[in-house]
C-alpha cells in the first residue's frame, strides 16, 4: 500500500510518498519527503500573499511530484510515444484551466512517464488559503483523472494532530497509541485551538482564539522588532539568548498575559501584539538589548497563557494525554514548559519532532493512512475549504 500526500495550504509545497508496513498498528516508511518553502519570497513582504502562494505552488508542484516519485523509485519513463486520449485531454484542460502552467507541466508528466504504483492520494482540503489549497486539490484530481488513483481529502489541522502522535525510528513512522480521552493543542500561523479528542478521529473544538493565532502574533511582534518573516523562530532565538545572558526585563517592557483569568478555554493575542507596539513606540529606538527583552517577555507571556489553558482543558475533560501540533510547537521554550507540566500533572505528552511541527506532507500522509484504515470512501469532487474546522472533519 503506497500513498502520495499533497499539502499546499499555505507557503509550503509539500509532497510525501509513504509505504504502509503490514500490521494492526499504523506504521509506514517514508519513501520521499519533499518540502519546498516559499518563505524567502514572502519574507520580502513580511507575510504570506495568497495569490503569490498560489502562483508558486502552481509553478512547482508537478516537478516536485515527479521528483518525489523518482526518489521513491516509482518513476518509470515511457519508451514509446504516448499522447493523452482526446476525451481525457479535454477533461484535464477544463480541470486545470485556471492553472495553465500546471496544465502544461502535467501533460508532459502524463505523456512522459508510466502510471506509478501509487494506491491512494491524500490531499489537504482545508483549512488554509483557498487559492493555494486549490492547487494541491487540482493536482490530486488530475492524477486521479489520468491514472485512476483514489483521492482522500484531509483536514490540515487533523494532520497536525496526527503528526503529534508520530514516533520515528530509522525511517519507520508509527502513530503511537495514546490513552483516551485526550486534548490537542493546535498552535500554528492560522490557528490556536484546544480540541477535545474523546476517541481517535473524533474532535471537538473546546477553545480557540478570538482574534490572532499564536503564530501570527509571533510573526507580527517580530515585524515590530524588525525581525524577518517567519518571526516565531527569530523571537525564540532572541529569547533564548536573553535567558542565557540572564537578562531581566525592564518594568516598562512587561507584557500582559491575555485571557489568563478569563475562566474559559479561549485565547486572544491581538492585545499582546498591540502591547508590543506600544512598548516599541515608547522606547523610540530599538537596540539589541531592548529587542531581546521584548522577545523574552513575549515568549514568556505566550507560554504562560498556553500552559494555563492546557492545564484547565485537561482538568475539565479529565484527559490523560496531550497532543501538540502546528508550527509553534517547534518552539523550544513552549516545548519544555509543556514537558514540565506533563511531569507535574501526570499526563502523557505527544509532541511532534521539530521537522514535523511545521507544514509537511508526512502529516497529511499519516492522516490519510488513518482514513484508509477506516475504509473511508474516496472523493471525486473536492472543494477547497479555507475555514474547515477540525471539529467538522
Ligand atoms: O503550522 P505552520 O507551519 O503553518 C500553518 O499552518 O500556519 O505554522 C507556521 C507558524 C508561523 O507563524 C511561525 O512563525 C511559527 O509557526 N513558528 C514558530 C516557531 N517555528 C515556527 N513560532 C514560535 N517558535 C518557533 N520556533
Ligand atoms: Zn499548519
Amino acid at each position: 500500500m503506497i500513498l502520495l500526500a499533497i499539502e499546499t495550504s499555505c507557503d509550503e509545497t509539500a509532497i510525501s510518498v509513504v509505504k504502509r508496513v503490514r500490521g494492526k498498528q499504523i506504521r509506514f516508511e517514508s519513501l520521499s519527503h519533499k518540502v519546498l518553502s516559499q518563505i524567502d519570497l514572502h519574507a520580502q513582504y513580511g507575510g504570506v500573499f495568497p495569490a503569490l502562494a498560489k502562483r508558486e505552488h502552481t509553478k512547482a508542484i508537478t516537478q516536485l511530484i515527479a521528483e518525489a516519485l523518482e526518489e521513491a523509485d516509482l518513476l518509470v519513463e515511457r519508451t514509446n510515444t504516448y499522447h493523452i486520449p482526446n476525451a481525457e485531454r479535454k477533461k484535464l484542460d477544463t480541470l486545470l484551466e485556471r492553472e495553465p502552467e500546471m496544465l502544461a507541466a502535467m501533460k508532459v508528466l502524463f505523456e512522459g512517464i508510466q502510471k506509478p504504483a501509487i494506491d491512494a492520494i491524500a490531499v489537504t482540503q482545508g483549512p488554509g488559503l483557498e487559492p493555494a489549497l486549490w492547487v494541491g486539490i487540482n493536482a490530486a484530481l488530475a492524477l486521479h483523472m489520468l491514472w485512476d488513483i483514489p483521492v482522500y481529502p484531509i483536514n490540515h489541522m487533523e494532520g497536525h494532530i496526527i503528526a503529534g502522535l508520530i514516533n520515528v525510528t530509522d525511517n519507520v513512522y508509527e502513530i503511537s497509541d495514546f490513552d483516551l480521552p485526550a486534548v490537542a493543542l493546535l498552535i500554528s500561523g492560522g490557528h490556536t485551538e484546544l480540541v477535545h479528542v474523546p476517541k481517535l478521529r473524533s474532535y471537538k473544538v473546546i477553545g480557540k482564539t478570538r482574534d490572532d493565532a499564536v503564530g501570527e502574533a509571533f510573526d507580527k511582534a517580530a515585524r515590530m522588532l524588525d525581525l524577518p518573516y517567519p518571526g516565531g523562530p527569530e523571537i525564540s532565538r532572541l529569547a533564548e539568548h536573553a535567558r542565557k545572558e540572564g537578562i531581566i526585563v525592564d518594568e516598562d517592557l512587561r507584557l500582559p498575559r491575555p485571557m489568563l483569568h478569563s475562566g474559559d478555554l479561549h485565547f486572544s493575542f491581538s492585545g499582546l501584539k498591540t502591547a508590543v507596539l506600544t512598548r516599541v513606540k515608547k522606547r523610540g529606538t530599538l537596540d539589541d538589548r531592548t529587542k531581546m527583552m521584548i522577545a523574552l517577555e513575549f515568549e514568556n507571556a505566550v507560554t504562560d497563557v498556553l500552559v494555563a489553558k492546557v492545564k484547565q482543558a485537561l482538568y475539565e475533560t479529565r484527559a490523560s494525554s496531550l497532543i501538540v501540533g502546528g508550527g509553534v510547537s517547534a518552539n523550544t521554550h513552549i516545548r519544555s514548559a509543556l514537558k514540565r507540566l506533563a511531569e507535574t500533572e501526570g499526563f502523557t505528552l505527544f509532541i511532534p519532532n521539530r521537522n514535523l511541527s511545521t507544514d509537511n506532507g508526512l502529516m497529511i500522509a499519516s492522516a490519510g493512512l488513518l482514513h484508509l484504515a477506516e475504509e473511508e470512501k474516496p472523493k471525486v469532487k473536492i472543494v477547497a475549504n479555507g475555514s474547515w474546522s477540525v471539529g467538522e472533519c
Side-chain angles (χ1 to χ4, degrees), residues 206-378:
I206 50 172
K208 62 178 180 179
T209 180
R210 301 223 155 115
D211 37 61
D212 293 354
V214 60
E216 188 182 355
F218 264 104
D219 295 339
K220 287 179 177 167
R223 238 178 124 170
M224 294 167 192
L225 299 180
D226 286 332
L227 300 170
Y229 173 85
E234 296 291 326
I235 294 218
S236 169
R237 189 177 49 80
L238 282 190
E240 279 309 310
H241 196 57
R243 269 182 212 106
K244 272 205 196 101
E245 304 261 304
I247 287 177
I248 310 279
V249 179
D250 292 348
E251 204 54 47
D252 66 314
L253 294 180
R254 297 259 176 216
L255 292 168
R257 269 58 177 160
M259 309 276 285
L260 189 64
H261 302 294
S262 64
D264 58 23
L265 297 173
H266 299 305
F267 304 87
S268 164
F269 292 106
S270 93
L272 190 57
K273 170 193 72 186
T274 317
V276 171
L277 188 64
T278 325
R279 311 295 185 274
V280 169
K281 278 195 174 151
K282 237 184 176 167
R283 282 278 170 129
T285 51
L286 270 178
D287 54 46
D288 288 349
R289 194 180 164 85
T290 310
K291 282 192 194 181
M292 273 201 271
M293 284 191 282
I294 297 178
L296 174 63
E297 178 65 3
F298 181 87
E299 194 175 66
N300 285 344
V302 167
T303 308
D304 287 351
V305 174
L306 293 177
V307 165
K309 298 281 172 172
V310 160
K311 197 171 159 186
Q312 188 178 344
L314 288 161
Y315 176 76
E316 284 184 16
T317 57
R318 298 173 197 284
S320 346
S321 319
L322 175 71
I323 309 163
V324 189
V328 183
S329 70
N331 183 282
T332 307
H333 188 65
I334 296 172
R335 290 172 86 93
S336 11
L338 292 172
K339 270 184 204 146
R340 272 198 307 280
L341 187 70
E343 279 158 21
T344 53
E345 298 290 313
F347 61 85
T348 319
L349 175 67
F350 296 90
I351 199 159
N353 276 3
R354 275 204 177 75
N355 63 333
L356 293 181
S357 286
T358 45
D359 293 351
N360 65 85
L362 284 180
M363 66 189 238
I364 303 304
S366 48
L369 289 179
L370 212 54
H371 286 230
L372 275 156
E374 292 190 348
E375 293 179 9
E376 189 183 284
K377 295 264 174 297

Side-chain angles (χ1 to χ4, degrees), residues 156-157 160 188 326-327 359 363:
H156 180 84
M157 302 317 288
H160 276 307
S188 71
D359 293 351
M363 66 189 238

Side-chain angles (χ1 to χ4, degrees), residues 67-123:
E67 284 170 18
L69 291 175
E70 179 154 36
E71 192 171 77
D73 230 353
L74 296 170
L75 190 138
V76 183
E77 280 178 25
R78 286 181 187 274
T79 46
N80 57 333
T81 316
Y82 169 79
H83 293 294
I84 303 170
N86 257 342
E88 285 181 330
R89 176 181 281 265
K90 276 192 189 136
K91 278 201 252 170
L92 194 64
D93 285 343
T94 311
L95 178 72
L96 301 181
E97 68 185 349
R98 293 205 198 160
E99 292 103 7
E101 217 166 338
M102 180 158 112
L103 174 64
M106 280 281 176
K107 281 181 181 167
V108 174
L109 181 77
F110 291 128
E111 296 192 337
I113 71 166
Q114 293 180 18
K115 176 185 169 176
I118 301 277
D119 302 291
I121 297 167
V123 64

